[in-house]
């Protein structure tokens, strides 16, 4: 296998773009250049002198633009309804009656202290920081360790960048067992009023329009209790440059019952993601029908009682009918299938109870196997890391019998370019290094944590995969392959 070269995100706005400040614009607020809104993803490069203002360019300031919000002066009147128009110009639509009960997080992030000082502030309450571990938070709160201004569940605002805050992993939500909890998190860019979003029920239910965002670089979180259905989430930017990364580092993420179903920030005019399904199973009958008994005893064999009718099940899986988009449109699946983003390389793993792993998920995940837990019907997902220069190894995700993700740990570290491998008959994992003269194969037991180099495999090789043949249980044979133009296929036969 090969590694894909890493690329950096291209700069969206040319450095030489002229900037023109509206007459009523505060001098300390950044402003976008007053130009005709682009029709393509990237702005048109400026070839003229960037210090020269366009001649004869009129400057118009939106009449009802909040004074504390960065604003762009449109060069021509917009053809669509201006979101800043007064109610007399554009009537306010009637509110939609929702079966959902929206709950908006309204506890602001507060920096109360650090390292236990002042002592009067510790343990910290919900949405207070800076915490270093869970012990710094009032029970049952946990310390949410974040990057930059990552949104804190149940809290609003960005707080202090890279500071950690206490949060409630099990907040009181008004959703019933038959409803789905949908959470929409938005981090606004420098021009928040341009951003809007909708959530459409594709199965005939009510639609939701997100609230207006008024503060720049601020975290917004909205929670809704909705019926199970297929939903389409659309986030839009009026100017056509998304919410990242030319004018601030905005982002969005949508969760359905705790699963991330849409996320991003770099788009043009809009970005669309669908999740869920309209296909539902008919509930099982609560009571079996009472069989009808003949009033007169027959002289022949008594008829058997009629069987309980089977529940009607609609077709849920249609191979090749590619209608389901998930993981931010990275996967296109057949009708009836679904996917779930469990974690991302280089980030801490979030478990089913809301807590997070102490270390980050390994990067460049590669060959993997599912290995059963020996006693509790759970399982391990053990996978390689093909990172180079000693940064590779093996990481293991632990799942409970009900499918909940409950643990993560590194099972092997300090190795290089662990590419493929294979499972053994006794449910351990053999991880192979694709590292030339230094390449080895290592056996990893995800249950006990025991790890050793496979001594029968000679050191040195671009080892790719491992397999076995146990048709003869007394003389199981093992195989390795090498990822090379003249790579060897080697068979290992144990002595009788």
């Amino acid at each position: 296998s090969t590694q894909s070269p890493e690329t950096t995100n291209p700069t969206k706005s040319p450095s030489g773009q002229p900037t023109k400040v509206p007459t009523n614009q505060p001098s300390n607020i950044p402003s976008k250049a007053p130009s005709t809104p682009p029709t393509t993803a990237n702005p048109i490069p400026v070839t003229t002198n960037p210090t020269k203002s366009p001649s004869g360019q009129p400057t118009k300031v939106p009449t009802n633009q909040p004074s504390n919000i960065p604003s762009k002066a449109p060069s021509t009147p917009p053809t669509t309804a201006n979101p800043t128009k007064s109610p007399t110009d554009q009537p306010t639509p009637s509110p939609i009656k929702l079966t959902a009960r929206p709950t908006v997080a309204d506890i602001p992030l507060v920096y109360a202290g650090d390292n236990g000082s002042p002592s009067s502030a510790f343990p910290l309450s919900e949405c207070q920081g800076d915490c270093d571990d869970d012990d710094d938070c009032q029970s049952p709160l946990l310390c949410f360790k974040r990057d930059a201004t990552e949104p804190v569940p149940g809290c609003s605002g960005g707080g202090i960048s890279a500071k950690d805050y206490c949060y409630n992993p099990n907040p009181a939500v008004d959703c019933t067992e038959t409803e789905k909890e949908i959470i929409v998190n938005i981090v606004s860019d420098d021009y928040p009023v341009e951003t809007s979003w909708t959530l459409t029920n594709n199965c005939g239910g009510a639609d939701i329009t997100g609230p207006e965002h008024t503060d720049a670089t601020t975290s917004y979180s909205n929670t809704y209790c909705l019926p199970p259905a297929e939903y389409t989430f659309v986030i839009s930017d009026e100017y056509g440059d998304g919410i990242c990364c030319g004018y601030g580092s905005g982002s969005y993420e949508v969760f359905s019952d705790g699963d991330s179903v849409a996320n991003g920030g770099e788009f043009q005019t809009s970005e669309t993601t669908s999740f869920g399904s309209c296909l539902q199973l008919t509930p099982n009958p609560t009571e079996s029908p009472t069989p009808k008994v003949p009033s007169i005893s027959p002289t022949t064999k008594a008829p058997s009682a009629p069987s309980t009718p089977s529940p009607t099940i609609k077709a849920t899986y249609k191979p090749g009918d590619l209608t389901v988009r998930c993981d931010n449109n990275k996967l296109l699946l057949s009708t009836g299938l679904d996917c779930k983003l469990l974690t991302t390389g280089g980030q801490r793993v979030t478990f089913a109870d809301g807590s997070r792993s102490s270390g980050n998920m390994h990067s460049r995940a590669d060959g993997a196997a599912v290995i059963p837990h020996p006693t509790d019907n759970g399982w391990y997902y053990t996978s390689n890391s093909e990172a180079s220069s000693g940064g590779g190894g093996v990481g293991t995700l632990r799942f409970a019998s009900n499918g909940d993700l409950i643990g993560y740990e590194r099972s092997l570290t300090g190795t290089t370019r662990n590419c493929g491998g294979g499972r053994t008959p006794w449910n351990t994992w053999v991880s192979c290094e694709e590292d030339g003269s230094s390449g080895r194969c290592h056996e990893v037991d995800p249950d006990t944590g025991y790890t050793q180099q496979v001594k029968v495999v000679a050191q040195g090789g671009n080892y790719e995969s491992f397999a076995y043949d146990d048709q003869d249980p007394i003389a199981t044979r093992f195989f390795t392959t090498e990822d090379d133009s003249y790579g060897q296929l080697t068979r290992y036969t144990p002595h009788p």
Side-chain angles (χ1 to χ4, degrees):
S1 64
T2 58
Q3 301 181 31
S4 301
E6 298 183 359
T7 60
T8 57
N9 293 327
T11 302
K12 296 178 67 179
S13 55
S15 58
Q17 185 172 354
T19 301
K20 190 171 183 179
V21 181
T23 56
N24 293 329
Q25 181 76 15
S27 60
N28 61 341
I29 304 297
S31 175
K32 293 184 182 177
S35 60
T36 302
T39 57
T40 59
N42 297 322
I44 301 174
V46 178
T47 56
T48 57
N49 188 341
T51 61
K52 183 177 179 180
S53 301
S55 60
Q57 182 77 8
T59 301
K60 295 178 70 176
V61 180
T63 57
N64 292 328
Q65 183 74 17
S67 60
N68 62 337
I69 305 299
S71 174
K72 296 192 300 291
S75 58
T76 58
T79 58
T80 58
N82 190 332
T84 60
K85 283 187 178 181
S86 62
T88 57
D89 296 326
Q90 181 177 344
T92 303
S94 301
I96 300 174
K97 291 184 178 180
L98 301 175
T99 57
R101 295 178 295 282
T103 303
V104 181
D106 57 359
I107 304 177
L109 292 175
V110 175
Y111 178 77
D114 193 9
N115 293 324
S117 178
S119 59
S120 59
F122 287 82
L124 301 168
S125 59
E126 187 172 3
C127 301
Q128 287 188 343
D130 176 32
C131 57
D132 296 318
D133 52 46
D134 295 342
D135 292 337
D136 287 339
C137 304
Q138 298 177 9
S139 180
L141 304 180
L142 300 176
C143 184
F144 185 86
K145 297 184 178 181
R146 63 179 192 158
D147 299 322
T149 57
E150 180 183 358
V152 178
C155 308
S156 62
I160 299 177
S161 179
K163 294 295 183 182
D164 302 328
Y165 292 83
C166 298
Y167 79 106
N168 187 351
N170 298 300
V173 179
D174 201 16
C175 298
T176 66
E177 293 183 357
T178 60
E179 295 175 319
K180 281 189 170 292
E181 181 189 61
I182 308 295
I183 301 175
V184 180
N185 291 333
I186 305 288
V187 178
S188 59
D189 63 0
D190 293 341
Y191 297 85
V193 295
E194 296 176 353
T195 306
S196 61
W197 61 264
T198 60
L199 186 66
T200 302
N201 185 327
N202 298 330
C203 307
D207 300 337
I208 297 174
T209 299
E212 183 180 9
H213 305 140
T214 57
D215 297 326
T217 62
T218 299
S219 299
Y220 294 87
S221 181
N222 295 86
T223 303
Y224 301 90
C225 299
L226 302 172
E230 180 186 67
Y231 291 93
T232 296
F233 176 80
V234 180
I235 185 168
S236 304
D237 182 81
E238 181 185 358
Y239 194 74
D241 60 356
I243 56 176
C244 185
C245 297
Y247 297 95
S249 299
S251 63
Y252 73 89
E253 188 162 17
V254 181
F255 293 88
S256 174
D257 280 347
D259 299 334
S260 178
V261 294
N263 60 78
E266 291 190 74
F267 57 91
Q268 300 173 30
T269 301
S270 65
E271 191 162 69
T272 301
T273 304
S274 296
F275 57 93
S277 173
C278 293
L279 299 174
Q280 304 293 329
L281 295 180
T282 302
N284 292 325
T286 57
E287 296 182 359
S288 300
T290 303
K292 183 178 181 180
V293 181
S295 58
I296 301 175
S297 300
T299 57
T300 58
K301 185 178 179 181
S304 59
S307 59
T308 302
S310 301
T312 301
I313 301 177
K314 296 181 179 180
T316 59
Y317 176 48
K318 299 179 181 179
D321 185 17
L322 302 178
T323 60
V324 181
R325 297 180 182 272
C326 60
D327 192 11
N328 201 24
N329 291 329
K330 294 177 184 176
L331 293 177
L332 183 61
L333 306 178
S334 298
T335 298
L337 298 180
D338 198 0
C339 74
K340 176 180 180 180
L341 178 63
L342 295 175
T343 185
T344 303
Q347 298 182 11
R348 284 184 294 171
V349 181
T350 301
F351 303 135
D353 63 359
S355 62
R356 298 204 293 177
S357 61
S358 58
N360 292 338
M361 171 73 179
H362 56 281
S363 62
R364 298 187 178 276
D366 210 308
V370 174
I371 297 176
H373 188 276
T375 61
D376 65 6
N377 294 323
W379 66 91
Y380 300 97
Y381 180 82
T382 299
S383 71
N384 287 341
S385 169
E386 203 180 359
S388 58
S389 304
V394 175
T396 298
L397 295 168
R398 170 78 161 97
F399 292 87
S401 59
N402 64 355
D404 284 349
L405 178 56
I406 59 175
Y408 171 76
E409 63 179 13
R410 292 297 297 268
S411 305
L412 175 66
T413 58
T415 54
T416 297
R417 296 194 65 191
N418 297 68
C419 184
R423 197 176 75 172
T424 68
W426 47 88
N427 288 327
T428 59
W429 169 252
V430 174
S431 175
C432 299
E433 290 181 280
E434 190 181 333
D435 192 29
S437 61
S438 300
R440 303 177 179 89
C441 291
H442 305 264
E443 184 180 15
V444 176
D445 187 338
D447 184 56
T448 65
Y450 178 73
T451 300
Q452 67 170 354
Q453 180 184 344
V454 180
K455 296 181 173 59
V456 72
V457 180
Q459 178 177 339
N462 286 317
Y463 292 111
E464 178 71 23
S465 294
F466 165 89
Y468 66 87
D469 174 12
D470 64 348
Q471 295 180 82
D472 182 352
I474 299 177
T476 301
R477 291 169 171 80
F478 303 90
F479 303 85
T480 58
T481 60
E482 290 192 67
D483 189 354
D484 190 81
S485 299
Y486 299 95
Q488 296 180 351
L489 168 63
T490 306
R491 181 178 66 189
Y492 302 88
T493 303
H495 294 297

